Amino acid sequence: MPELPDVEGFREVVARHAVGRRIERVDVADAGVLRGVTARQLGDRLHSHRFGKPERYGKWLIARTDGPAVLMHFGMTGSLAWLGSGAPRARYDRVVFVTDAGELHYSDMRKLQGIRLAQGPDDVDRVLAGLGPDALTVGSGEFGRLLTRHRRAIKPTLADQHVLAGLGNLLVDEILWRARINPRRPANSLDPGERDGLYRQMRRVLRDSVRQGRVPAKPSWLTGVRGQPEARCPRCGTPLSRGRIGGRTTVWCPNCQRAA
DNA sequence: TCAGTTGTTTATAT
DNA sequence: AATATAAACAACTG
């Protein structure tokens, strides 16, 4: 489920358990998730290094050590968990970082993304180059200016990592629904009041989601009902609309989110 | 068998 | 240059 809130949760897993731990070895169960590095290189270069303070940028987790940094992306089905030493491997555990006091399990069924190793700060920058500002820390002024620069529909604009980093399909639908903005509206057609409202709802949805470590599937949220066959708007009860916008399934309320 | 899925990149066309 | 669409990656589920 990895969007910004999920990855923020994975960052906390590392921050809480892995920091200061010494990497003894790296078990690669499926090298299909390694990008630009072999299993042997990954193990050799990380051996004996200790995890440092992790960071998140957009949907990327940057697990720094006192040597190289491990860059993880979780695609659509990835996750990260801290387990005790000698924990059994789960079915889709692809890489396990074994430390002196526990293990970090990188799991991913679909392997759409993967793990990179950055030898230095330049390598990290190269991977993150081109991403827009992080959705959790962007200011309202910059956020508004981003929107005025694109005439594309607001939905794919917000989900474009090069414009703004961190929002995925579920979050964008949730935020637009909260802000009562139709997903097909051109981004640069929003007036200043709408841009401000959108920013505030983004903050709110992100704050609540980060607290949960995921986009909550509460019945009062669009995300909580969007999977149902005859889903209705949690706010007004109108049957929800469903369509493809920007190549992704999009759910919105035709009553609350009128086309302009 | 077919369509769909929380992500991203690439090719192609407009 | 910006935008739109489809396909590809992989492994499921209904």
Side-chain angles (χ1 to χ4, degrees), chain A residues 102-116:
Chain A
E103 306 176 344
L104 204 51
H105 290 223
Y106 174 92
S107 185
D108 188 9
M109 180 180 76
R110 286 173 70 182
K111 302 187 286 185
L112 290 175
Q113 295 295 321
I115 293 177
R116 296 169 177 277

Side-chain angles (χ1 to χ4, degrees), chain A residues 10-23 49-54 63-65 72 80-83 97 99-105:
Chain A
F10 302 150
R11 187 191 63 74
E12 279 175 26
V13 166
V14 176
R16 185 170 311 150
H17 299 110
V19 171
R21 299 278 66 85
R22 179 176 162 276
I23 299 169
H49 285 293
R50 290 179 185 275
F51 279 111
K53 192 166 181 255
R64 299 185 185 284
T65 73
M72 304 186 199
L80 194 66
W82 179 261
L83 297 167
F97 300 87
T99 78
D100 53 340
E103 306 176 344
L104 204 51
H105 290 223

Side-chain angles (χ1 to χ4, degrees), chain A residues 64-109:
Chain A
R64 299 185 185 284
T65 73
D66 54 9
V70 184
L71 302 180
M72 304 186 199
H73 196 295
F74 299 90
M76 292 172 86
T77 52
S79 64
L80 194 66
W82 179 261
L83 297 167
S85 299
R89 304 297 194 252
R91 180 161 178 199
Y92 298 116
D93 284 355
R94 309 299 189 183
V95 177
V96 176
F97 300 87
V98 179
T99 78
D100 53 340
E103 306 176 344
L104 204 51
H105 290 223
Y106 174 92
S107 185
D108 188 9
M109 180 180 76

